[in-house]
Amino acid sequence: AQTVTQSQPEMSVQEAETVTLSCTYDTSESDYYLFWYKQPPSRQMILVIRQEAYKQQNATENRFSVNFQKAAKSFSLKISDSQLGDAAMYFCAYRSVHAGNNRKLIWGLGTSLAVNP
Amino acid sequence: NAGVTQTPKFQVLKTGQSMTLQCAQDMNHNSMYWYRQDPGMGLRLIYYSASEGTTDKGEVPNGYNVSRLNKREFSLRLESAAPSQTSVYFCASSFTASNQPQHFGDGTRLSIL
């Protein structure tokens, strides 16, 4: 069974600086998708970025980018030029491509990010 | 552009009471999901519906039932609420394809006394 591990329960960063949130996962599959979601205090879950395992190029969305290391099964999120609005809980998630797993998302426990002014 | 709508947003129940949480999506998604979120436990899947007419158990289905009423709506029922079911409940939906993200509702904070 697949698992997702976020080893940093809490992180903090100074406004305008860069922070990296780590995520590792365990799978025997070769094809899958990875996601980062953000959950601000408003509680809403918001997709930040996604990565297809078959793509070697790291995904980027504005100030958010990932470092995807398939062999190491690592999927870290880098937030550049951190803003106060980035303060939130960040969840890493894995999704199988195989219909037998019904393509459910497997979630990490989250990292709480504080942004200091 | 409503996305995923959950009702109610807050609810307080007494032990033993029943309750149905409603969820509707207007994005023509095939798949819908119910999660609960507890401190330190992350998101745990209760039930999901891969497509209209099908439902399956997730990680923590005990004490819950679901109904996929049509393509748009997926309800979660607590038949006899217990304090252990105090949680924040999220409904989500997605297209079936694996690369499609799940879209979430705003959550329901449920307290059972």
Side-chain angles (χ1 to χ4, degrees), chain B residues 20-98:
Chain B
T20 298
L21 307 185
Q22 306 287 353
C23 175
Q25 52 90 10
D26 61 2
M27 295 172 283
N28 202 34
H29 287 164
N30 307 97
S31 302
M32 297 186 74
Y33 311 83
W34 275 106
Y35 292 94
R36 60 178 290 174
Q37 185 178 31
D38 303 291
M41 302 287 285
L43 281 157
R44 293 185 291 170
L45 184 65
I46 305 171
Y47 270 94
Y48 63 98
S49 172
S51 61
E52 186 179 358
T54 69
T55 61
D56 286 285
K57 295 178 180 180
E59 301 171 67
V60 288
N62 290 346
Y64 305 95
N65 286 300
V66 290
S67 296
R68 182 75 183 265
L69 304 170
N70 47 54
K71 192 171 185 179
R72 291 186 64 249
E73 299 172 287
F74 188 41
S75 62
L76 178 72
R77 182 161 178 85
L78 287 71
E79 290 290 353
S80 179
S84 61
Q85 294 177 304
T86 293
S87 187
V88 178
Y89 291 84
F90 285 96
C91 177
S93 69
S94 72
F95 288 114
T96 306
S98 300

Side-chain angles (χ1 to χ4, degrees), chain A residues 33 35 37 39 42-45 47 50 52 89 91 95-98 101-105 107-109, chain B residues 9 33 35 37 41-43 45 48 50 88 90 94-102 104 106-107 109:
Chain A
Y33 294 89
F35 303 86
Y37 280 85
Q39 186 180 36
S42 65
R43 227 169 51 197
Q44 191 179 17
M45 293 286 283
L47 176 70
R50 62 180 162 181
E52 292 89 343
M89 196 77 169
F91 291 95
R95 195 177 194 193
S96 171
V97 302
H98 297 294
N101 291 328
N102 274 301
R103 305 187 181 98
K104 294 174 288 185
L105 278 172
W107 296 85
L109 294 182
Chain B
K9 295 194 184 306
Y33 311 83
Y35 292 94
Q37 185 178 31
M41 302 287 285
L43 281 157
L45 184 65
Y48 63 98
V88 178
F90 285 96
S94 72
F95 288 114
T96 306
S98 300
N99 66 340
Q100 296 301 309
Q102 292 182 7
F104 285 78
D106 290 340
R109 184 175 293 278

